[in-house]
Amino acid sequence: MIKYLGSKRRLVSVLGDLYERSASESALDMFTGTTRVAQELKRRGAYVTAADSARYSFVFANCHITTDAEKSDAAQIQEILEYLSQRPGYKGYFTEIFCRESRFFQPFNGEKIDAIRDAIKNEFSDSAYHDVLLTSLIYAADKVDSTVGLQMAYIKEWAPRSYKPLKLELPELLPGGGRALRGDACKLVSELTPVDFAYLDPPYNQHSYYANYHIWETLVAWDNPACYGVARKREDNKSEVNKSVFNKAGRMPQALGSLVSSLSAKVVVLSYNNEAWVSLEDLVAMCSHLEHVQVLAFDSRRYVGAKIGIYNPQGTKVGAVSHLHNLEYLVLAGERDLIEYMVLPYREKKVDLTPVSAVG
Ligand SMILES: C[S@@+](CC[C@H](N)C(=O)[O-])C[C@H]1O[C@@H](n2cnc3c(N)ncnc32)[C@H](O)[C@@H]1O
């Protein structure tokens, strides 16, 4: 899995357990990013809709969520990946921009990426496996990049992994169907059919995913964009259409509130961390149109308790939030009995989580 800011790698199994206890059949992962959470929900039997504004995220969702492993021919995909791996590398846009004008990849890997990406475009654009191949290429590139996980800058000296040759591998395909959507969550929400379990993991600060992962955007769009700055970001990064309201302090709380209230879901689960612009209290208040709200808080290693207590439909708060350092929260809202049943294991036992890191 790729390195990704705000990835919920550490909370995936908790979210899977909560989904199971919610006795749901369908799920929405509204800011799906890497699709890690969506994949887990699919593994637990959900029919998942995975949505995000990023092009690469749509490709990952087509690979892991909409592609049905039982209807796919893994041997054939493997054969195509081997064919692609053997394409002789050559200097193209990718090598020029990301290996010479900047130093995100070693030129020998950049040349391979140019050749493989062109071959995917020229020979497999109609293939049912197009997005599986592209996902494989992005994962392979991520493993040999020379960054700390964000594409706003590259490491001064080549990262040790950048010396390794690019290796295409078969991405994990899961049995069953699902749906991938690309677009602005604020607009997509009106097109969604009701779901049982909705998970929302929006950005809560100024860090733009479009800018931070511009190389993946370009690798998918393959549109030779004009670029600028040391990191050779896409010129259209400056355009208003590629800016997210969730990266704007003044507009984010209202946008999130309206998104949550427009969702048609039996259970809403929101991810939150205490470095965000909105307060946990505000987040809980956004959910108070649902009958009952509970908050689970995790520190870097373990479940630390439901810090905030119960909210009634009028939004009256019971209990106080304790802002400890580096906490990850899950805000759960829905019918009282169901939410209480979902959080029961967390009342009874400590849950051990391995450390939460910003780029997972
Ligand atoms: C915190 S990350 C989600 C990480 C994800 N849960 C994971 O585990 O990989 C936030 C995601 O929101 C997406 N995003 C930002 N603004 C958006 C918008 N207006 N509509 C839809 N998605 C948006 C970003 O592309 C990013 O993938």
Side-chain angles (χ1 to χ4, degrees), residues 1-4 32-36 38-39 42 50 52 54-67 130-140 142 171-174 179-180 213 216-217 219-220:
M1 279 286 187
I2 59 162
K3 302 180 282 299
Y4 203 61
T32 195
T34 59
T35 74
R36 278 187 174 104
Q39 288 181 51
K42 186 178 174 185
D52 200 286
R55 286 183 181 89
Y56 52 83
S57 181
F58 182 63
V59 166
F60 299 156
N62 278 328
C63 170
H64 298 291
I65 305 304
T66 61
T67 303
H130 178 270
D131 284 0
V132 176
L133 305 176
L134 209 40
T135 297
S136 173
L137 178 59
I138 297 175
Y139 289 176
D142 182 63
E172 186 182 359
L173 301 180
L174 303 167
R179 210 153 66 113
Y213 296 99
W216 302 155
E217 288 285 344
L219 204 44
V220 172

Side-chain angles (χ1 to χ4, degrees), residues 38-343:
Q39 288 181 51
E40 183 64 12
L41 299 176
K42 186 178 174 185
R43 269 185 216 104
R44 307 278 185 134
Y47 181 86
V48 182
T49 300
D52 200 286
S53 53
R55 286 183 181 89
Y56 52 83
S57 181
F58 182 63
V59 166
F60 299 156
N62 278 328
C63 170
H64 298 291
I65 305 304
T66 61
T67 303
D68 183 345
E70 282 167 351
K71 294 184 185 153
S72 306
D73 185 341
Q76 192 194 345
I77 303 172
Q78 195 65 62
E79 232 172 71
I80 302 173
L81 291 175
E82 271 156 35
Y83 166 79
L84 291 172
S85 303
Q86 282 156 23
R87 296 304 86 214
Y90 52 79
K91 289 184 199 87
Y93 177 91
F94 197 93
T95 312
E96 176 57 28
I97 303 297
F98 300 124
C99 308
R100 300 203 183 278
E101 294 184 13
S102 58
R103 285 161 49 96
F104 286 101
F105 298 88
Q106 301 252 9
F108 72 93
N109 274 327
E111 290 174 15
K112 256 336 228 192
I113 291 170
D114 266 317
I116 293 169
R117 183 62 186 92
D118 276 345
I120 293 175
K121 179 176 175 184
N122 298 334
E123 299 173 50
F124 298 97
S125 57
D126 294 334
S127 163
Y129 302 130
H130 178 270
D131 284 0
V132 176
L133 305 176
L134 209 40
T135 297
S136 173
L137 178 59
I138 297 175
Y139 289 176
D142 182 63
K143 285 196 179 137
V144 297
D145 74 350
S146 193
T147 73
V148 291
L150 306 176
Q151 295 164 358
M152 299 295 270
Y154 45 90
I155 301 171
K156 218 168 167 193
E157 299 299 325
W158 288 114
R161 67 170 169 271
S162 71
Y163 290 93
K164 291 187 192 155
L166 185 90
K167 187 164 180 272
L168 297 182
E169 288 171 318
L170 180 66
E172 186 182 359
L173 301 180
L174 303 167
R179 210 153 66 113
L181 298 173
R182 180 180 170 224
D184 179 352
C186 306
K187 293 186 183 134
L188 285 180
V189 69
S190 61
E191 298 163 23
L192 295 170
T193 47
V195 288
D196 294 331
F197 184 99
Y199 173 61
L200 274 66
D201 184 19
Y204 284 103
N205 54 34
Q206 74 282 11
H207 299 300
S208 153
Y209 282 80
Y210 197 82
N212 273 314
Y213 296 99
H214 65 97
I215 300 178
W216 302 155
E217 288 285 344
T218 293
L219 204 44
V220 172
W222 210 230
D223 56 351
N224 301 354
C227 51
Y228 68 98
V230 176
R232 312 312 288 142
K233 280 183 284 182
R234 300 173 62 90
E235 194 68 38
D236 66 8
N237 177 48
K238 296 173 187 163
S239 157
E240 204 45 42
V241 289
N242 293 317
K243 297 205 189 307
S244 173
V245 71
F246 297 95
N247 297 133
K248 295 181 179 176
R251 291 177 56 202
M252 188 275 182
Q254 196 273 333
L256 185 59
S258 131
L259 180 61
V260 172
S261 62
S262 312
L263 277 175
S264 178
K266 192 173 73 173
V267 172
V268 174
V269 178
L270 273 148
S271 261
Y272 173 79
N273 69 64
N274 58 357
E275 285 155 18
W277 281 326
V278 282
S279 69
L280 184 54
E281 289 87 345
D282 287 343
L283 211 60
V284 169
M286 285 176 198
C287 297
S288 59
H289 60 289
L290 295 158
E291 190 185 3
H292 192 61
V293 183
Q294 273 288 9
V295 180
L296 301 178
F298 301 86
D299 79 0
S300 58
R301 282 179 300 108
R302 66 199 171 87
Y303 170 64
V304 292
K307 287 283 173 194
I308 197 161
I310 295 159
Y311 276 69
N312 66 19
Q314 286 73 44
T316 310
K317 187 170 73 174
V318 182
V321 186
S322 146
H323 280 297
L324 303 178
H325 66 286
N326 193 23
L327 284 185
E328 291 272 330
Y329 296 92
L330 291 176
V331 178
L332 281 65
E335 277 181 16
R336 176 178 298 272
D337 290 351
L338 182 57
I339 297 298
E340 282 305 310
Y341 177 72
M342 287 168 67
V343 302

